[in-house]
């Protein structure tokens, strides 16, 4: 007897970042709930269903029947006017023309605005880096010092600000970035690895940092990465990813989910490390039509009751 | 009515020494449930937010009559106002039988059991290939074994949840440990999670064995080791948990375990508000002025009551306090919620003094602008155009003229907008005109004033964190241009207060701030710089516990984190 289900068992089996309950709650504030085998997040206006089924015992993440059952249940039990499904395939319930706006609580690292992409992953231990990568790691390793922690200080926040300043991002994505400090602080599985530039003429300065998540029993997550382009020596981002991979190995995870491909540059960075497609990701969003006068009446009554 | 405070050290000790079921292992239960334990009569309860767990096994043993447990349960439920409830007990009270989800028996094994020779042989075989040790570190090998095992075996969600929480529970429960069987390659072949906290018994909580690095009879070896540890540490018996299913029962029985205490579990939801509302009504009647009224007059006299939801519970070292976000002006009363809260506290702290003399002093200062050359108070009128002023007058005072009088919508006591803009300090003009607008829209209440008076009425120690002088400095720092900007946006005020009201009633801090980012007094100085001062001044009281603090809602953004940094467990409550 444990009390309310905090869904830690879902996070323990997470294979995609959206199944990390603590993370999504911290950055988006929506309420998690299981719809049969799939996890969903509800807010008054949106339901986001993470359509990678969590069977007991675990089976295929490509189970279209399980996805379909979950979508049916979600459509039946949630009154959110808009539904978004992230899954390996498009759910059969989606209307022929579905909108493709990314959900607000989607990880920024994966917020591409592209409806089709794929999560890339590396095994842990990762394949041995090639000579060029080893050179980069060595170079960066000479010029920066890494440390680990669970707090973001002013320099970290400044890097996030700088990242946001120069990018045209959706409000939901900006909100996620703004909530990274809250995420890092409130989720014990989150870890920040920072690269500090070694300087003889003053205190070290932050060249970049990454946030990893090690909540899941089997999968580590490469959540966010920031780099100061003016300061970071070549290879800093690689060195930070390498540190996360080592941490995953130390903790016993067997793979690292590197997030979606996003764009050719990011995909190149990940594939340079040997990352391969782990799970397809199709994002399908659609508005739901009220089912009839009874449903409209319910909506009206609910609306009238709200303060 | 006793309150649901944390247990005293003596009660912790009592529970562990009298433990009868694994759920009496109080540190473990507290950790995995996230609830706060308390005793009602002889029964343990855990509670947080809107839920309640009831352990219906009396800590003094005996027959556990369902009626005695039900009495304690009903009291605990009323006191905590829990909606979602779970209970375990040997026999459910009649009213809860409908909600029974599980019926089983606990399996126990005497520590001095003679291990069957066949099992000894199997354990010996495994012992030849494995090294057994015990520890409290959840290593990479444990993570891999847990992942493999939970990825292979069908488990009920609550058991999966226990596996998921093992890593976080281990450092928090001093008597929890892992019994490990390692092969000669350093692989973890099997592992048990055991709890030695209950004095009479050793509790078997979880187990896993590997197929990837399989060693036959590894689990049997660990079982034998577990029995040895129980015997060596003076435990009377081993608690092996429930039978669960025939396979698990067979494994337990193979080792000589037998079904002992009965177990029934119920899960149900209580209607959320009926009793609470009834309690509120009773409170209101008790505290209502003793004057003759008709029933209609009485109902009409009640202000619109709402549950107070912008409240956080603070816990440190077992002591609890609360902190709430207030609104200086609001359209509803929270008296019933406040009374409930104040029954649990000794001290109530506000940003500053709110007694009449202090308020009068602030008003006097606001009405007398500084005339000293070079530091004269700024006049809002100078920063506004004639059109701005007219628009502001229309918003503050509402419609005027023949049709307004005819329709009864004309404000009988309009504010002299130009007087405030020209002859009072800028912050005083702002608050006066804004308040007038709010009053005209039926915002006749003040959350902090209501709390202030109620706290005095209930005999609480009432304190302010800032002096009037400090508050005046803060008010003087409100930028004139922000007030002017806010006045120029007066056409949006109605929508603004509507959204603000909704967010406040929902207890949604983010939404509140989203609706009022441009509110003139929400500046760095007014909010951020005072937060540190507030924290410093509230700290001694909230550390002692039984204290309620009220600050402007905007302060709660920073204070939540600052309080957590100061070592408090900060938990947002759904309502009080």
């Amino acid at each position: 007897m444990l009390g309310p289900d905090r869904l830690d068992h879902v996070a323990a089996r997470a294979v995609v970042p959206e199944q990390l309950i603590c993370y999504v709650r911290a950055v988006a504030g929506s309420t998690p709930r299981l719809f049969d085998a799939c996890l969903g997040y509800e807010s008054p206006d949106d339901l986001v269903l993470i359509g990678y089924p969590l069977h007991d015992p675990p089976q295929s993440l490509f189970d279209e029947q399980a996805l379909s059952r979950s979508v049916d249940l979600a459509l039946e039990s949630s009154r959110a006017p808009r539904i978004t499904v992230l899954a390996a395939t498009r759910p059969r319930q989606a209307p022929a023309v579905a909108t493709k706006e990314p959900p607000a609580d989607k990880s920024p690292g994966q917020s591409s605005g592209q409806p089709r992409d794929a999560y890339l992953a590396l095994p842990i231990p990762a394949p041995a880096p090639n000579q060029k990568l080893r050179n980069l790691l060595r170079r960066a390793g000479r010029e920066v010092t890494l440390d680990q922690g669970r707090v973001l200080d002013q320099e970290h926040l400044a890097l996030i600000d700088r990242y946001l300043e120069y990018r045209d991002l959706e409000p939901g994505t900006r909100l996620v970035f703004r909530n990274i400090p809250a995420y890092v602080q409130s989720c014990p599985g989150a870890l920040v690895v920072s690269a500090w530039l070694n300087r003889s003429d003053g205190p070290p300065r932050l060249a970049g940092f990454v946030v990893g998540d090690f909540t899941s029993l089997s999968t580590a997550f490469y959540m966010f990465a920031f780099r100061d382009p003016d300061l970071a020596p070549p290879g800093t981002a690689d060195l930070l990813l390498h540190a996360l991979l080592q941490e995953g190995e130390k903790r016993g995870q067997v793979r690292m989910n590197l997030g979606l491909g996003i764009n050719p540059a990011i995909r190149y960075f990940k594939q340079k490390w040997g990352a391969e497609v782990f799970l397809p990701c199709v994002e399908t969003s659609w508005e739901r039509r009220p089912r009839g006068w009874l449903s409209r009446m319910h909506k009206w009554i609910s609306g009238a009751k709200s303060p | 009515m006793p309150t649901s405070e944390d247990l005293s050290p003596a009660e912790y000790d009592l529970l562990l020494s009298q433990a009868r079921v694994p759920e009496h292992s109080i540190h473990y239960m507290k950790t995995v449930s996230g609830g706060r334990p308390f005793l009602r009569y002889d029964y343990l309860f855990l509670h947080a937010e809107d839920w309640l767990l009831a352990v219906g096994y009396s800590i003094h043993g005996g027959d556990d009559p369902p009626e005695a447990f039900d009495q304690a349960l009903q009291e605990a439920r009323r006191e905590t106002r829990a909606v979602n409830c779970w209970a375990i007990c040997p026999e459910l009270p009649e009213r809860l039988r409908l909600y029974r989800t599980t019926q089983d028996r606990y399996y126990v094994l005497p520590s001095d059991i003679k291990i069957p020779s066949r099992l000894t042989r199997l354990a010996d075989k495994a012992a030849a290939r494995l090294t057994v040790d015990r520890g409290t570190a959840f290593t990479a090998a444990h993570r891999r074994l847990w992942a493999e095992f939970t990825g292979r075996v069908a488990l009920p969600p609550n058991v999966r949840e226990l596996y998921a929480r093992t890593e976080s529970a281990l450092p928090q429960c001093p008597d929890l440990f892992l019994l490990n069987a390692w092969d000669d390659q350093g692989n973890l072949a099997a592992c048990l999670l055991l709890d030695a906290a209950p004095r009479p018994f050793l509790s078997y909580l979880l187990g896993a064995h590997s197929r990837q690095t399989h060693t036959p009879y590894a689990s049997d070896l660990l079982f034998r080791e577990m029995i040895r540890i129980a015997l060596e540490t003076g435990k009377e018996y081993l608690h092996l948990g429930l039978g669960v299913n025939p396979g698990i029962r067979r494994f337990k029985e193979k080792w000589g375990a037998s079904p002992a205490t009965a177990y029934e579990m119920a899960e149900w939801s209580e209607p959320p508000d009926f009793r609470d509302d009834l309690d509120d009504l009773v409170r209101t009647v008790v505290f209502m002025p003793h004057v003759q009224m008709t029933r209609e007059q009485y109902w009409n006299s009640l202000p619109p009551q709402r549950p107070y939801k912008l409240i956080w519970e603070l816990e440190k070292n077992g002591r609890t306090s609360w902190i709430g976000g207030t609104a200086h002006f609001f359209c509803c009363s929270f008296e019933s919620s406040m009374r409930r809260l104040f029954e649990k506290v000794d001290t109530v702290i506000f940003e500053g003094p709110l007694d009449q003399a202090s308020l009068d002093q602030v008003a006097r200062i606001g009405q007398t602008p500084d005339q000293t050359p070079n530091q004269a108070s700024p006049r809002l009128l100078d920063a506004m155009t004639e059109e701005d002023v007219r628009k502001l007058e229309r918003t503050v005072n509402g419609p005027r003229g023949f049709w307004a009088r005819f329709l009864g919508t004309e404000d009988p006591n309009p504010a002299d907008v130009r007087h405030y803009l020209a002859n009072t300090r800028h912050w005083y003009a702002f608050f006066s005109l804004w308040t007038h607008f709010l009053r005209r829209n039926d915002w006749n209440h003040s959350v902090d004033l209501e709390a202030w008076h109620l706290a005095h009425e209930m005999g609480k120690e009432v304190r302010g964190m800032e002096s009037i002088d400090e508050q005046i400095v803060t008010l003087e720092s409100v930028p004139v241009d922000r007030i002017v900007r806010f006045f120029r946006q007066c056409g949006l005020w109605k929508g603004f207060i509507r959204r603000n009201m909704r967010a406040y009633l929902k207890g949604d801090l983010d939404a509140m701030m989203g609706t009022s980012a441009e509110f003139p007094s929400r500046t760095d100085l007014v909010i951020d710089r005072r937060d540190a001062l507030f924290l410093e001044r509230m700290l001694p009281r909230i550390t002692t516990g039984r204290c309620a603090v009220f600050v402007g809602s905007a302060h709660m953004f920073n204070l939540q984190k600052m309080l957590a940094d100061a070592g408090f467990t900060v938990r947002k409550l759904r309502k009080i």
Side-chain angles (χ1 to χ4, degrees):
Chain A
M1 189 177 63
L2 287 174
D5 192 350
R6 298 203 305 250
L7 298 175
D8 286 356
H9 62 100
V10 172
R13 288 187 279 169
V15 289
V16 296
E18 290 79 5
Q19 287 169 333
L20 297 168
I21 307 267
C22 184
Y23 157 64
V24 178
R25 289 185 86 135
V27 299
S30 40
T31 310
R33 176 183 160 191
L34 274 175
F35 294 93
D36 194 33
C38 293
L39 175 67
Y41 295 94
E42 283 186 299
S43 57
D45 297 327
D46 280 293
L47 171 71
V48 180
L49 193 73
I50 314 303
Y52 301 96
L54 299 154
H55 290 291
D56 185 48
Q59 298 163 23
S60 169
L61 294 165
F62 298 89
D63 185 342
E64 286 190 40
Q65 281 189 341
L67 170 65
S68 188
R69 276 198 306 274
S70 293
V71 175
D72 277 339
L73 186 60
L75 290 169
E76 212 175 279
S77 57
S78 168
R79 298 196 174 273
R82 181 183 175 84
I83 181 165
T84 299
V85 179
L86 296 181
T89 55
R90 177 189 167 85
R92 64 166 177 76
Q93 293 88 341
V97 180
T99 53
K100 292 163 186 168
E101 191 181 312
D105 56 347
K106 202 176 158 195
S107 162
Q110 289 89 43
S111 176
S112 63
Q114 298 170 12
R116 279 169 196 279
D117 201 335
Y119 292 99
L120 300 171
L122 275 172
I124 296 179
N130 60 27
Q131 185 59 50
K132 190 175 167 194
L133 201 47
R134 282 205 303 275
N135 291 343
L136 274 172
L137 291 173
R138 228 184 343 262
R139 158 94 193 267
R142 274 197 304 270
E143 296 189 35
V144 298
T145 303
L146 301 188
D147 74 8
Q148 293 188 355
R150 292 213 38 242
V151 176
L152 298 180
D153 62 25
Q154 287 306 319
E155 289 196 68
H156 294 90
L157 301 185
L159 272 193
I160 298 176
D161 282 346
R162 183 173 169 155
Y163 180 88
L164 292 177
E165 197 177 333
Y166 293 105
R167 277 168 184 80
D168 180 23
L169 299 168
E170 305 216 5
T173 307
R174 286 184 179 274
L175 178 72
V176 171
F177 275 91
R178 292 273 171 234
N179 284 332
I180 293 174
Y183 155 55
V184 167
Q185 195 194 14
S186 59
C187 301
L191 180 78
V192 181
V193 182
S194 309
W196 299 93
L197 193 65
N198 303 322
R199 296 192 318 161
S200 54
D201 57 339
R205 291 185 59 192
L206 187 64
F209 71 95
V210 286
V211 182
D213 196 300
F214 300 90
T215 306
S216 165
L217 287 172
S218 59
T219 308
F221 293 90
Y222 179 65
M223 301 293 285
F224 301 94
F226 299 92
R227 194 173 64 90
D228 185 334
D230 301 331
L231 281 183
T236 301
D238 296 293
L239 192 66
L240 288 166
L241 172 57
H242 186 241
L244 284 187
L245 288 164
Q246 283 181 319
E247 183 65 24
E249 190 173 353
K250 201 175 103 191
R251 295 193 189 206
Q253 269 96 2
V254 294
R255 82 172 70 82
M256 175 163 283
N257 185 327
L258 298 176
L260 297 175
I262 313 281
N263 62 41
I266 294 177
R267 201 172 297 119
Y268 172 78
F269 172 79
K270 294 172 180 176
Q271 286 174 337
K272 173 176 81 175
W273 276 86
E276 290 183 353
V277 168
F278 167 48
L279 280 173
C281 178
V282 180
E283 180 185 323
T284 317
S285 271
W286 69 97
E287 303 281 344
R288 300 164 63 191
R289 275 180 302 184
R291 276 170 295 185
W293 66 270
L294 197 62
S295 153
R296 285 200 293 275
M297 195 163 124
H298 181 276
K299 197 174 170 186
W300 178 76
I301 292 169
S302 313
K305 271 184 189 164
S306 64
Chain B
M1 172 77 68
T3 57
S4 58
E5 284 162 14
D6 205 346
L7 299 173
S8 66
E11 286 172 322
Y12 273 94
D13 194 59
L14 177 72
L15 260 166
L16 294 176
S17 59
Q18 301 288 330
R20 296 172 56 201
V21 291
E23 286 80 359
H24 281 147
S25 179
I26 187 61
H27 297 291
Y28 184 63
M29 281 300 285
K30 197 176 158 181
T31 302
V32 296
S33 73
R36 206 174 50 188
F38 65 99
L39 282 170
R40 189 59 68 241
Y41 304 120
D42 284 350
Y43 300 97
L44 171 66
F45 293 87
L46 291 114
H47 156 69
E49 295 165 1
D50 64 349
W51 58 264
L52 179 71
L53 292 185
V55 181
Y57 295 86
S58 157
I59 52 169
H60 290 114
D63 296 335
D64 293 320
E67 300 76 23
F69 170 52
D70 200 25
Q71 189 191 343
L73 173 59
Q74 294 199 45
E75 281 189 23
R77 217 300 294 173
R78 269 200 300 277
E79 185 187 328
T80 56
R81 295 167 175 254
V83 175
N84 300 310
C85 304
W86 293 264
I88 57 165
C89 53
E91 184 186 349
L92 284 167
E94 196 171 343
R95 72 183 178 96
L96 296 179
R97 284 182 197 155
L98 192 63
Y99 307 107
R100 186 167 64 205
T101 56
T102 314
Q103 196 168 22
D104 204 333
R105 294 192 91 85
Y106 287 107
Y107 276 67
V108 297
L109 182 67
S111 302
D112 57 358
I113 185 93
K114 183 167 166 31
I115 298 170
S117 55
R118 190 178 71 86
L119 291 174
T120 303
R121 275 199 308 279
L122 298 180
D124 284 342
K125 275 190 182 177
R129 299 173 57 185
L130 297 168
T131 307
V132 174
D133 69 10
R134 53 187 282 188
T136 55
F138 192 78
T139 66
H142 292 94
R143 181 183 288 278
R144 281 194 290 269
L145 178 60
W146 255 224
E148 185 211 321
F149 185 76
T150 57
R152 186 181 79 221
V153 178
L155 297 163
N158 60 337
V159 178
R160 283 197 174 277
E161 200 71 4
L162 286 178
Y163 279 94
R165 296 181 196 177
T166 304
E167 185 177 13
S168 59
L170 275 163
Q172 297 181 56
C173 305
D175 295 302
L176 215 56
F177 65 95
L178 296 159
L179 191 60
N180 311 309
W182 305 91
D183 68 15
D184 53 9
Q185 306 293 311
N187 300 309
L188 190 58
C191 176
L192 307 181
L193 177 67
L194 305 176
D195 183 8
R199 309 264 159 73
F201 58 86
L202 180 65
S203 198
Y204 163 76
L205 299 174
L206 297 172
H209 61 276
S210 175
R211 279 198 186 154
Q212 287 171 5
T213 53
H214 181 64
T215 303
Y217 315 119
S219 295
D220 293 307
L221 170 63
L222 290 182
F223 245 70
R224 186 177 71 175
E225 190 63 15
M226 174 176 75
I227 295 168
R228 189 188 62 76
I229 290 171
L231 192 63
E232 273 183 15
T233 52
K235 305 286 187 189
E236 293 162 37
Y237 59 101
L238 294 106
H239 225 301
L240 302 186
L242 299 174
V244 185
N245 63 41
I248 294 176
R249 269 199 296 280
R250 266 199 305 281
F251 183 80
K252 291 176 180 175
E253 284 170 352
K254 153 179 115 170
W255 280 90
S258 54
T261 319
Y263 173 98
E264 292 193 327
M265 178 175 169
E267 178 180 353
W268 73 103
S269 295
E270 293 278 353
D273 288 318
F274 172 68
R275 272 183 189 280
D276 300 351
D277 290 347
L278 199 64
D279 279 0
D280 289 348
L281 181 61
V282 170
R283 278 170 220 271
T284 312
V285 170
V286 167
F287 291 103
M288 68 183 279
H290 294 284
V291 291
Q292 289 288 327
M293 283 188 192
T294 65
R295 194 181 342 180
E296 194 180 347
Q297 280 171 330
Y298 167 67
W299 285 113
N300 289 339
S301 74
L302 294 179
Q305 286 286 319
R306 291 288 188 277
Y308 185 53
K309 294 186 173 179
L310 207 62
I311 181 104
W312 288 257
E313 189 181 75
L314 312 173
E315 198 202 345
K316 188 175 178 183
N317 300 329
R319 295 174 192 276
T320 307
S321 292
W322 290 265
I323 184 163
T326 64
H328 294 306
F329 319 106
F330 204 65
C331 52
C332 304
S333 162
F334 300 96
E335 185 185 340
S336 302
S337 288
M338 300 279 186
R339 278 192 190 280
R340 246 187 331 263
L341 173 63
F342 289 178
E343 279 171 3
K344 300 189 218 175
V345 307
D346 303 320
T347 309
V348 185
I349 299 180
F350 296 83
E351 285 187 12
L354 293 168
D355 56 282
Q356 198 52 49
S358 301
L359 296 178
D360 289 345
Q361 189 188 345
V362 173
R364 256 195 320 277
I365 297 169
Q367 288 162 359
T368 49
D370 196 342
Q371 310 281 5
T372 320
N374 297 329
Q375 50 182 358
S377 300
R379 275 172 21 121
L380 287 175
L381 197 61
D382 299 336
M384 296 174 72
T385 64
E386 177 59 25
E387 193 191 339
D388 291 339
V389 176
R390 279 204 202 132
K391 197 170 141 194
L392 183 64
E393 281 177 323
R394 277 199 300 278
T395 305
V396 170
N397 290 326
R400 307 199 63 74
F402 168 78
W403 285 107
R405 276 196 298 281
F406 179 72
L407 295 169
T409 55
E410 188 178 67
D411 186 347
N413 302 302
D416 187 347
V417 173
R418 287 168 198 272
H419 162 74
Y420 285 108
L421 296 177
N423 303 320
T424 67
R425 293 185 188 237
H426 66 297
W427 50 267
Y428 187 76
F430 160 64
F431 280 114
S432 302
L433 297 177
W434 175 238
T435 316
H436 194 93
F437 168 79
L438 293 174
R439 283 218 187 92
R440 203 170 57 71
N441 284 277
D442 296 327
W443 284 46
N444 297 314
H445 293 270
S446 161
V447 182
D448 46 10
L449 266 179
E450 181 175 54
W452 172 274
H453 290 300
L454 196 59
H456 277 284
E457 182 194 310
M458 292 176 71
K460 306 296 168 188
E461 184 195 10
V462 179
R463 289 174 163 260
M465 290 184 278
E466 287 182 325
S467 64
I468 290 292
D469 289 343
E470 286 173 312
Q471 296 208 309
I472 295 293
V473 170
T474 302
L475 290 169
E476 286 290 343
S477 77
V478 175
V480 170
D481 59 333
R482 281 189 70 137
I483 295 177
V484 171
R485 201 158 55 235
F486 189 71
F487 279 171
R488 285 194 182 125
Q489 293 174 338
C490 59
L492 306 173
W493 285 6
K494 274 205 171 175
F496 171 21
I497 62 171
R498 211 165 33 237
R499 285 193 300 275
N500 205 283
M501 175 190 74
R502 283 186 192 147
Y504 193 82
L505 289 176
K506 275 203 258 176
D508 187 344
L509 185 64
D510 291 334
M512 272 191 74
M513 296 307 118
T515 62
S516 53
E518 285 303 308
F519 199 73
S521 58
R522 290 189 185 142
T523 64
D524 277 358
L525 176 64
V526 178
I527 304 296
D528 300 9
R529 294 188 211 171
R530 289 164 78 212
D531 290 339
L533 178 94
F534 286 162
L535 180 69
E536 182 196 325
R537 294 187 182 173
M538 73 173 79
L539 213 48
R541 294 287 166 164
I542 57 175
T543 307
T544 314
R546 294 184 61 82
C547 173
V549 183
F550 290 96
V551 292
S553 304
H555 292 286
M556 286 311 301
F557 260 119
N558 289 339
L559 280 175
Q560 284 179 78
K561 181 179 178 305
M562 293 165 77
L563 286 161
D565 289 345
F568 287 88
T569 304
V570 182
R571 192 185 305 149
K572 171 83 171 65
L573 302 181
R574 287 196 185 167
K575 65 176 185 177
I576 194 85

